[in-house]
């Protein structure tokens, strides 16, 4: 019979061996849309041997988090481990991602549930006696998205028992761990990989082991961000021995690629992988593959892992409607509506035809501008929405045009008789041609503005062929023309207004002042582009134009050919005086005022330098000709509370000025999936992709974004 103390000792040893399976504890963090906790594959840790510990994220339905390359937008989940002394943490082991279309964009990530595993290894000298335990802590940060994106985080902890015995599986989390393991990409013995660049296409060829066949379909997810256009369809071809995937490169397209790492996924699995759907691909550059006959990337409108053209068209249509509310467009539309009011109580058919003519003018102008931009871009010129206002000459001509229109509305001269005589060949009264030209003018002056929803739609055209890009711009024009078209097609809406009378003359003169304000704004744009000398030349030229307009007005009341000739000469001289020189120098900005952010000049190197030093960076992609940009700056960015928040969180403000054409800024916008300004990007230390703010800012929105940063923000390390 055993002595009683011996029985107690044996019982204690047994309890020490098996208790870890029951004494293992972990906290659960619940946020608005995610439940997070730490999980482990074994019931206890063994000194000197790795233990798999994972961050388990369970998302609400239709919400998702991101892979290490998030695709068009998003941020990968980050884990900062706090471990006992001597413990080591391995890198995150990422399950293969799923393609997640979001509007016109394509993201890579996870829905429902994901477990991000990492190996934690205790030192070989870790004590095991007396119920030894190791506290494991982690600070996790993730971005969870549906229609909106919410950055969330949590402080998680668990207790791992430590024992020298061979660890058993942990039944509590075994199912989740096994599911995550099965989703990890594996090395597939016998497979050979090649990669090459063909112009603006990335080609990956995967050759199966001898005696095996490649899968019929597959998708490739590169580890490197901004290498391919995630939303562009992937073209897959297959022969008896290999499968080849072609992907459109992101702009600016890579010109060299020594090696390529990524994950290839096939629902049917890969030969030699043990039935796994995902394999690790490490492909070297292949000259033979690069010189092979290049296949074209599949049409962007086809169904694939690419983005949704329908969503981009919807965004473009809504953005076009909202464009009417932008200060660039309102004055011209006001003139058109004034004309409708004048004829609202007349013939309904004529009014409808004017609305149709206006719509045709808008649509053709949008398509023409888009075709010009796409043609120049195909020739290697980096251009974006509003590109023509990067030219001092175009700004000068627009300022002159607005000034002449304002003089007309002020009563200096009457344009109607002259315009109708010119356009008489188009229609009996010239109204239809006038409506068409109003649509053209509305399009031209709309280009400095970017309305909500427009940024993503226009940026989507970067990933599309010419036909789909033109369709998106035409839809944008249709949205902008819709309000005027509705007023024309349903004239009863206008008949509620007073009949034409003396009030219209007053209303017409009032409309002149927004046009004068637009001229002042364009003069400021010109000053930012070409300096004070160019502004003085413009103003002097406008004086001569005003004299010519006045002389023309006099000639209508006192006919005389000489008056008309003098008017034409004065206006011509005014244009010559205002004409900017080809070598006009950019103006220099002054020192920042106390009520403004301390802006510094943007460059990619500056962003990298500051974030490497642990500083958050706010980049304002702007232009002097972008009215939305200037409104945001005055209302939201140069707000006293915002300035104080930037200072307290040590945020560095950089300005990327796109007033004049700058290929580097165009390339940076393209990398963010945008092709227009404004764009606001907040770069955080340790994060590869920035947070993008909406196109229309408010102080509260900016403050909310900045408040998420810790005071005196420093870099966040990632394991």
């Amino acid at each position: 019979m055993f002595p009683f103390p011996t029985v107690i000792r044996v019982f204690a040893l047994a309890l020490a061996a098996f208790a870890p399976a029951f004494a293992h504890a972990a906290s659960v963090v619940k946020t608005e849309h995610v439940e997070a906790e730490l999980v482990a594959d074994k019931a206890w840790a063994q000194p000197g041997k790795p233990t798999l510990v994972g961050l388990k994220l369970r998302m609400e339905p239709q919400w998702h988090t991101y892979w290490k390359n998030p695709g068009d937008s998003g941020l990968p989940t980050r884990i900062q481990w706090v471990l006992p002394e001597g413990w080591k943490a391995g890198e995150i082991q990422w399950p293969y991602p799923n393609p997640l279309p979001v509007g016109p964009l394509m993201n890579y990530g996870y829905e429902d549930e994901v477990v991000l595993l990492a190996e934690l290894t205790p030192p070989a000298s870790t004590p095991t006696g007396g119920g030894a335990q190791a506290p494991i802590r982690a600070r996790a940060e993730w971005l969870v998205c549906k229609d909106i994106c919410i950055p969330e985080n949590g402080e998680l902890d668990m207790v791992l028992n430590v024992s020298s015995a061979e660890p058993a599986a942990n039944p509590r989390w075994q199912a989740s761990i096994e599911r995550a393991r099965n989703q990890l990409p594996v090395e597939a013995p016998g497979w050979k990989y090649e990669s090459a660049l063909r112009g603006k296409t990335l080609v990956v060829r995967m050759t199966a082991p001898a005696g095996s066949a490649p899968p019929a379909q597959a998708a490739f997810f590169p580890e490197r961000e901004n290498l391919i256009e995630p939303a562009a369809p992937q073209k897959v071809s297959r022969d008896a021995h290999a499968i080849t995937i072609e992907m459109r490169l992101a702009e600016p397209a890579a010109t060299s690629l020594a090696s390529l790492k990524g994950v290839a996924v096939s629902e049917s699995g890969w030969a030699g992988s043990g039935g796994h759907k995902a394999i690790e691909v490490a492909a070297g550059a292949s000259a033979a593959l690069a010189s092979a006959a290049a296949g074209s990337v599949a049409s962007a409108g086809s169904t694939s892992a690419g983005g949704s053209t329908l969503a981009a068209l919807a965004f473009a249509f809504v953005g076009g409607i909202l464009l009417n509310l932008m200060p660039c467009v309102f004055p011209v539309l006001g003139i058109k509506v004034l004309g409708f009011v004048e004829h609202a109580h007349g013939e309904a058919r004529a009014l409808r035809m004017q609305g149709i003519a206006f719509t045709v003018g808008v649509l053709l102008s949008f398509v023409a501008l888009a075709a010009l931009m796409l043609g120049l871009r195909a020739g290697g010129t980096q251009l974006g929405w509003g590109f023509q206002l990067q030219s001092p000459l175009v700004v000068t001509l627009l300022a002159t045009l607005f000034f002449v229109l304002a003089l007309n509305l002020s009563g200096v001269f009457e344009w109607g008789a002259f315009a109708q005589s010119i356009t008489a060949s188009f229609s009996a009264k010239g109204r239809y041609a006038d409506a068409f030209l109003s649509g053209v003018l509305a399009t031209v002056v709309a280009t400095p503005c970017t309305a909500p929803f427009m940024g993503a739609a226009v940026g989507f055209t970067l990933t599309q062929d010419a036909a789909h890009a033109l369709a998106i711009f035409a839809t944008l024009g249709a949205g902008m023309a819709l309000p005027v078209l509705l007023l024309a097609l349903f004239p009863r809406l206008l008949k509620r207004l007073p009949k034409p009378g003396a009030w219209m003359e007053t209303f017409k003169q009032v409309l002149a002042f927004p046009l004068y304000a637009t001229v002042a704004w364009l003069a400021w744009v010109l000053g930012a582009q070409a300096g004070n000398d160019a502004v003085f030349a413009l103003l002097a030229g406008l004086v001569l134009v005003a004299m010519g307009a006045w002389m023309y007005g006099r000639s209508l009341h006192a006919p005389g050919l000489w008056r008309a000739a003098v008017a034409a000469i004065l206006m011509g001289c005014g244009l010559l005086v205002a004409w900017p020189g080809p070598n006009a120098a950019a103006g220099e900005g002054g020192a920042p005022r106390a009520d403004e952010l301390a802006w510094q000049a943007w460059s990619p190197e500056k962003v990298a330098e500051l974030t490497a030093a642990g500083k958050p960076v706010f980049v304002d992609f702007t232009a002097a000709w972008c009215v939305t940009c200037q409104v945001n700056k005055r209302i939201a960015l140069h707000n006293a509370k915002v300035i104080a928040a930037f200072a307290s969180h040590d945020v560095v403000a950089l300005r990327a000025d796109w007033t004049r054409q700058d290929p580097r800024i165009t390339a940076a916008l393209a990398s963010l999936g945008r092709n227009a300004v404004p764009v606001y990007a907040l770069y955080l230390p340790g994060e590869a992709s920035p947070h993008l703010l909406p196109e229309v800012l408010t102080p509260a929105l900016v403050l909310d974004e900045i408040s998420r940063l810790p005071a005196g923000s420093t870099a966040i390390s990632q394991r």
Side-chain angles (χ1 to χ4, degrees), residues 386-397:
F387 69 94
Q388 67 274 22
L389 275 97
Q390 294 173 331
S391 165
L393 173 59
V394 173
V395 172
T396 299
L397 292 176

Side-chain angles (χ1 to χ4, degrees), residues 154-411:
E155 299 279 351
L156 302 116
D157 60 77
M158 70 185 310
V159 176
L160 271 178
N161 288 331
V162 183
S163 173
S164 58
E166 189 67 27
N170 192 323
R172 180 179 176 185
W173 294 307
Q174 187 174 6
S176 295
I177 295 287
E178 284 305 311
R179 193 159 46 244
R181 277 179 167 155
N182 291 332
Q183 293 172 348
L184 292 177
V186 299
E187 293 184 3
W191 282 84
K192 296 180 181 179
Y193 311 110
E194 301 172 277
S195 64
L197 299 179
R198 295 177 183 164
K200 294 188 177 181
T201 302
L202 170 65
V203 183
V204 178
R205 181 176 174 84
M206 294 168 281
T207 304
S212 301
Q217 286 293 328
F220 185 78
F221 300 91
E223 290 188 2
R224 175 176 160 183
E225 293 185 49
N226 303 321
L227 176 62
I228 67 169
E229 292 290 354
Q234 298 184 1
K235 180 182 178 182
V236 180
S237 56
R238 174 181 178 269
D239 56 33
H241 307 289
I243 184 170
T244 303
I245 302 177
E246 299 178 40
M247 295 155 279
R248 183 177 299 155
L249 290 171
E251 293 289 347
T255 56
S256 62
L257 190 69
S259 62
L260 175 70
K261 288 186 177 182
V263 174
V265 180
S266 173
E267 288 297 322
S268 59
W270 300 83
S273 70
H276 281 261
K277 294 181 179 180
I279 59 173
E280 296 177 349
V281 175
S286 169
L289 189 61
S291 61
S296 60
V297 177
S299 169
S302 61
T303 303
S304 69
S308 169
T309 303
L310 289 177
L313 291 172
F315 280 5
F317 188 72
V318 175
I321 294 174
L322 296 177
L323 199 56
N324 290 289
L325 304 177
M326 298 294 106
C328 314
V329 185
F330 173 75
V332 173
L333 292 186
I335 297 173
K336 189 69 250 169
V337 173
L338 182 66
F340 282 178
V341 170
E342 185 176 355
H343 302 291
H345 301 272
E347 186 182 349
R349 181 180 179 278
L351 193 63
R352 294 189 182 100
M353 291 302 297
Q354 288 185 63
I356 293 172
F358 176 87
T359 302
V360 171
V362 170
L363 291 176
L364 291 181
S365 300
F366 264 93
V367 171
L369 275 176
L372 177 61
M373 184 179 73
L374 293 172
L376 292 173
R377 190 191 295 164
T381 305
Q382 295 292 327
L383 295 172
W385 175 252
F387 69 94
Q388 67 274 22
L389 275 97
Q390 294 173 331
S391 165
L393 173 59
V394 173
V395 172
T396 299
L397 292 176
L398 275 179
T400 305
L401 175 61
F402 273 118
F403 187 62
V404 171
L405 291 173
L407 292 175
N408 171 240
L409 292 177
S410 296

Side-chain angles (χ1 to χ4, degrees), residues 293-688:
S296 60
V297 177
S299 169
S302 61
T303 303
S304 69
S308 169
T309 303
L310 289 177
L313 291 172
F315 280 5
F317 188 72
V318 175
I321 294 174
L322 296 177
L323 199 56
N324 290 289
L325 304 177
M326 298 294 106
C328 314
V329 185
F330 173 75
V332 173
L333 292 186
I335 297 173
K336 189 69 250 169
V337 173
L338 182 66
F340 282 178
V341 170
E342 185 176 355
H343 302 291
H345 301 272
E347 186 182 349
R349 181 180 179 278
L351 193 63
R352 294 189 182 100
M353 291 302 297
Q354 288 185 63
I356 293 172
F358 176 87
T359 302
V360 171
V362 170
L363 291 176
L364 291 181
S365 300
F366 264 93
V367 171
L369 275 176
L372 177 61
M373 184 179 73
L374 293 172
L376 292 173
R377 190 191 295 164
T381 305
Q382 295 292 327
L383 295 172
W385 175 252
F387 69 94
Q388 67 274 22
L389 275 97
Q390 294 173 331
S391 165
L393 173 59
V394 173
V395 172
T396 299
L397 292 176
L398 275 179
T400 305
L401 175 61
F402 273 118
F403 187 62
V404 171
L405 291 173
L407 292 175
N408 171 240
L409 292 177
S410 296
V412 174
F413 71 100
E414 291 296 329
W415 178 260
F418 178 64
Q420 289 181 13
S421 66
I422 291 178
T423 59
S425 59
F426 291 93
S427 67
K429 298 181 179 180
R431 294 177 188 170
Y432 303 153
D434 178 68
F436 177 86
L437 295 175
S438 295
V440 174
L441 180 61
T443 302
V444 172
V445 300
T447 53
C449 285
T450 301
F453 298 98
M454 260 187 69
V458 174
F460 183 61
T461 63
L462 293 170
T463 69
Q464 305 303 295
D465 57 25
H468 287 83
L470 290 174
I472 289 171
F473 277 101
T475 305
L476 186 63
M480 194 183 89
L482 181 63
V484 171
L485 182 62
L486 290 177
L487 288 175
L489 294 179
F490 302 98
R492 292 182 180 178
L493 298 173
L494 290 169
K495 288 185 178 180
R496 296 183 180 182
L497 296 173
K499 291 186 177 182
W503 71 272
M504 289 189 62
E505 185 64 25
T506 301
F507 182 57
K508 185 177 73 170
Q509 292 177 5
V510 168
L511 279 180
F513 293 102
L515 293 174
Y516 287 125
T518 304
V519 174
W521 162 65
L522 288 169
W524 176 73
V525 171
L526 183 65
Q529 292 176 330
N532 288 335
D533 289 346
V535 174
F536 176 76
L538 172 65
L539 296 178
L542 292 182
V543 171
L544 292 175
V545 168
M547 291 175 63
W550 173 78
M551 182 63 71
Y552 173 72
R554 297 282 294 175
S555 70
L556 295 178
H557 299 288
L561 184 61
W562 68 272
R563 287 190 176 90
V566 170
I569 291 172
L570 285 171
M571 289 187 176
C573 290
L575 283 173
L576 289 175
V577 170
W579 201 272
N583 299 317
E588 297 182 2
R593 302 185 334 216
D595 59 347
E596 294 183 355
L597 289 169
W599 295 103
Q600 300 180 35
W602 169 90
S603 71
E605 297 79 12
K606 187 75 170 177
V607 174
E609 174 190 339
L610 290 168
T611 53
K615 292 183 178 292
V617 177
F618 181 88
V619 179
D620 174 14
F621 291 92
T622 185
W625 41 263
C626 169
V627 176
T628 311
C629 303
Q630 308 312 320
V631 172
N632 285 340
K633 183 170 65 176
R634 298 291 192 275
I635 293 177
L637 297 181
H638 290 173
N639 173 278
K641 293 182 179 179
V642 171
I643 294 171
F646 270 59
S648 64
H649 291 84
D650 202 18
V651 179
V652 179
L654 302 184
R655 176 173 290 159
D657 191 349
W658 209 34
T659 301
R660 302 196 75 167
Q661 198 271 328
D662 188 328
R664 293 207 305 171
I665 295 178
T666 307
L669 289 171
S671 71
L672 298 174
R674 296 291 185 267
N675 195 26
V677 290
V679 172
Y680 304 100
L682 180 61
Y683 293 81
L684 302 181
E687 296 190 6

Side-chain angles (χ1 to χ4, degrees), residues 64-71 73-77 94 97 100 102 107-110 114 116 142-146 148-149:
H64 61 267
T65 57
Y66 294 92
W67 190 50
K68 57 182 171 182
N69 173 5
S73 62
L75 290 172
T77 300
W94 297 89
L100 302 171
V102 181
N107 297 332
Y108 304 148
Y110 312 101
V114 65
L116 303 178
W142 58 86
L143 184 68
V144 60
C145 299
K146 186 183 175 185
I148 59 173
C149 289

